Amino acid sequence: MRKYLKVAALTMACVMVLTGCGSRTREAMETVTQTAETETVVETVPETETETESVEEETLSVIGEREVVDGQMQSYLTGEWKDEEVVTRRPIAVMIPNNAQAMPQYGLSSASIIYEAPVEGRITRLMGIFEDFDELDHIGPVRSSRDYFVYTAMGYQAIYCNWGLAVPYVADLINSDAVQNISAGVEGIEQPADEAFGRISRPGYATEFTGYLFIDGLMEAVDRLGYDWEYDEEFVPQLTFAADGVRAEYPDAQEVTVIRPGGTEENSGGYGAYNPWFEYNSEDHLYYRFQDGEAQIDERTGEQLAVSNVILQYCHGEVRDSHDYLAFGVHGVGTALVFTDGKVIPASWSRMEGDGVPPKFYDADGNEIVFNQGKTWICNIWEEFSDSVEFE
């Protein structure tokens, strides 16, 4: 059965538990299936069924402190084993257009986390969080910034990469000491990094969709600007991942195979003019991305984009001016829907520790949600258009 969810910030009981604030209650999230009873179950295969071993495996069910084994360590962004120098290096956050004129994008499947949010005209823009980019020659096309993307990147301690005008709502932030950015030399950028960007011929494409971030130039610019590649001691990983060899399952949660963050053409909302959706494949446990009626492909690999987890993070949004520039609240608390292993888990998010800490996601009992290892796609949903979200 198709479900339409109406979601508003500060409404779920779990949000009120987290914040201690129940005075601003609005319309509550509709119950999906037995929300209060939803629990994380980690599937394990113990050699024996002793009580001692069951307790021990429960403590090992999620990734805790990372350790280096044979030169590799588990990623903070995906939970997967990668080279130590990759996962201990600050990631880059790259702004990538998502409208039809930009397709296909190059290198996007290498991002560990992809953020998607509306911009003017009700199209969406993407921000890829890349930690493993050494084998890429370039990424893109690359477009301009919005401040809510910058604030999101700051939660990962990411070096922020964009090419375009620094509109009035972004210039002060992106040029501040709080943001280390690699930006093309356009209006509003005080420390341009032109060596990191270049154009690639794309016959039939407008010039604005021919600009790319080149990795060799990126490395040169980071060195010239004196940016540090290492996380600082205050770094906080965002997601809690299931341990190796196990899956986080939610047996009481509703099964979902199709997610439409912006609804359908008949029920279109504020989330993209190209009707994006995800389809779950139970064989490989991945969510495959579609847009504008067809599979969304990475030009580099020729393969369809796919992730292990999808999050719909509901945010307060506003139209700022006559140019339709938007603002989104990516701090504070709110509601969310988490999709993993073919299930939907009603959730809340909280980001109360400042710009340098990403939002955390919690179940109805206030426990951190356990995600399955792999890539994650996070959709910032404008609360005003929550009725348009569909899944089935």
Side-chain angles (χ1 to χ4, degrees):
M1 180 176 64
R2 178 171 293 167
K3 301 293 290 186
Y4 301 83
L5 287 194
K6 182 174 288 187
V7 185
L10 303 178
T11 56
M12 287 180 62
C14 51
V15 175
M16 291 184 280
V17 169
L18 287 168
T19 64
C21 176
S23 61
R24 197 182 166 201
T25 303
R26 294 186 282 174
E27 184 175 355
M29 176 185 278
E30 295 179 18
T31 301
V32 179
T33 50
Q34 299 178 336
T35 305
E37 288 84 27
T38 300
E39 297 178 353
T40 304
V41 175
V42 178
E43 181 182 318
T44 62
V45 185
E47 294 181 2
T48 61
E49 296 296 331
T50 66
E51 181 177 353
T52 301
E53 288 183 349
S54 296
V55 172
E56 182 181 355
E57 290 197 357
E58 180 67 23
T59 63
L60 298 175
S61 62
V62 299
I63 300 173
E65 291 293 324
R66 266 66 169 179
E67 61 178 7
V68 179
V69 178
D70 296 330
Q72 292 198 322
M73 197 173 84
Q74 286 174 287
S75 165
Y76 295 116
L77 303 183
T78 68
E80 299 166 317
W81 289 93
K82 299 182 180 181
D83 290 343
E84 178 188 5
E85 58 266 26
V86 168
V87 302
T88 57
R89 174 180 61 189
R90 292 170 58 198
I92 58 174
V94 186
M95 295 299 301
I96 299 175
N98 194 47
N99 36 333
Q101 299 93 321
M103 300 298 162
Q105 301 118 327
Y106 188 96
L108 188 54
S109 63
S110 295
S112 295
I113 297 176
I114 299 173
Y115 267 86
E116 183 173 16
V119 292
E120 64 281 356
R122 302 307 173 268
I123 59 175
T124 62
R125 188 156 293 177
L126 307 180
M127 181 176 71
I129 309 294
F130 295 82
E131 61 180 347
D132 195 356
F133 50 81
D134 297 288
E135 295 184 2
L136 295 175
D137 176 68
H138 58 278
I139 298 171
V142 180
R143 290 300 303 274
S144 61
S145 174
R146 300 293 181 271
D147 58 354
Y148 40 97
F149 284 106
V150 181
Y151 282 121
T152 296
M154 292 169 71
Y156 296 96
Q157 295 191 4
I159 295 174
Y160 187 76
C161 306
N162 79 115
W163 185 348
L165 295 178
V167 295
Y169 312 110
V170 179
D172 289 344
L173 174 62
I174 202 169
N175 290 318
S176 71
D177 292 338
V179 179
Q180 292 189 336
N181 70 93
I182 298 297
S183 303
V186 295
E187 182 180 347
I189 299 297
E190 295 179 358
Q191 296 189 75
D194 292 332
E195 66 265 47
F197 298 91
R199 296 198 181 276
I200 294 177
S201 176
R202 305 180 82 189
Y205 284 78
T207 302
E208 63 211 74
F209 300 110
T210 64
Y212 289 79
L213 174 73
F214 287 83
I215 302 305
D216 287 347
L218 164 75
M219 305 304 284
E220 293 175 8
V222 169
D223 182 61
R224 177 178 62 81
L225 293 169
Y227 295 161
D228 191 345
W229 276 113
E230 295 193 7
Y231 289 110
D232 68 31
E233 59 185 13
E234 297 179 354
F235 172 69
V236 177
Q238 180 181 36
L239 304 179
T240 298
F241 291 103
D244 289 346
V246 301
R247 291 202 61 78
E249 297 181 334
Y250 294 80
D252 295 325
Q254 179 181 338
E255 293 186 1
V256 170
T257 57
V258 178
I259 309 164
R260 300 184 185 275
T264 61
E265 195 169 342
E266 296 76 18
N267 184 41
S268 182
Y271 199 74
Y274 302 106
N275 299 309
W277 79 92
F278 301 88
E279 292 185 5
Y280 180 69
N281 185 322
S282 60
E283 294 185 2
D284 59 11
H285 305 286
L286 295 178
Y287 293 88
Y288 285 82
R289 168 77 174 201
F290 296 82
Q291 183 167 282
D292 206 17
E294 59 187 19
Q296 190 163 349
I297 304 296
D298 184 337
E299 184 179 22
R300 175 175 179 262
T301 65
E303 298 178 353
Q304 187 173 5
L305 300 176
V307 296
S308 296
N309 310 288
V310 176
I311 302 172
L312 306 189
Q313 181 183 353
Y314 291 79
C315 303
H316 172 68
E318 295 180 356
V319 177
R320 280 172 152 156
D321 57 28
S322 60
H323 300 290
D324 199 39
Y325 279 108
L326 305 180
F328 284 97
V330 293
H331 298 80
V333 294
T335 51
L337 293 173
V338 171
F339 299 85
T340 191
D341 203 54
K343 301 292 183 67
V344 55
I345 301 98
S348 65
W349 64 268
S350 176
R351 188 183 184 187
M352 303 293 288
E353 304 301 321
D355 296 335
V357 179
K360 292 280 192 175
F361 297 91
Y362 302 89
D363 65 19
D365 295 322
N367 302 309
E368 270 198 54
I369 289 177
V370 177
F371 291 83
N372 285 293
Q373 291 187 26
K375 299 169 184 175
T376 301
W377 196 303
I378 302 178
C379 302
N380 286 155
I381 303 296
W382 191 348
E383 284 181 347
E384 181 180 345
F385 296 95
S386 59
D387 281 346
S388 297
V389 172
E390 299 180 20
F391 56 85
E392 58 186 54

